[in-house]
Amino acid sequence: LKLDHWCQSFGLLPDGATAVVADAGTTLVRRYDLTNGKEVGEVPLGDLGAINRVAASPDGRFLALVGCK
């Protein structure tokens, strides 16, 4: 996966084919399909501060995000 922005945190979903990336310096989380390297979605989280860690639930339905402001 090649990104055109700095990655603050990276999480792999249990399917092994989806990555979640928190952009450095923003509160934007992007989802990527690792089979083709394409972005498939993004979630702006507002004014929450920088996201430092990303983790997925075992079934991949939920994300846990840790950050600081």
Side-chain angles (χ1 to χ4, degrees):
L1 180 64
K2 183 178 178 184
L3 304 173
D4 60 354
H5 49 84
W6 287 96
C7 171
Q8 180 78 19
S9 183
F10 176 91
L12 187 62
L13 271 60
D15 67 5
T18 307
V20 180
V21 176
D23 289 358
T26 72
T27 57
L28 184 66
V29 176
R30 300 174 197 256
R31 190 169 59 119
Y32 290 90
D33 180 340
L34 296 177
T35 62
N36 61 20
K38 303 284 185 192
E39 181 182 333
V40 292
E42 65 182 35
V43 178
L45 299 175
D47 189 23
L48 299 178
I51 298 164
N52 299 321
R53 299 286 183 266
V54 176
S57 64
D59 63 5
R61 292 180 52 214
F62 300 98
L63 291 177
L65 308 169
V66 176
C68 62
K69 188 170 185 179

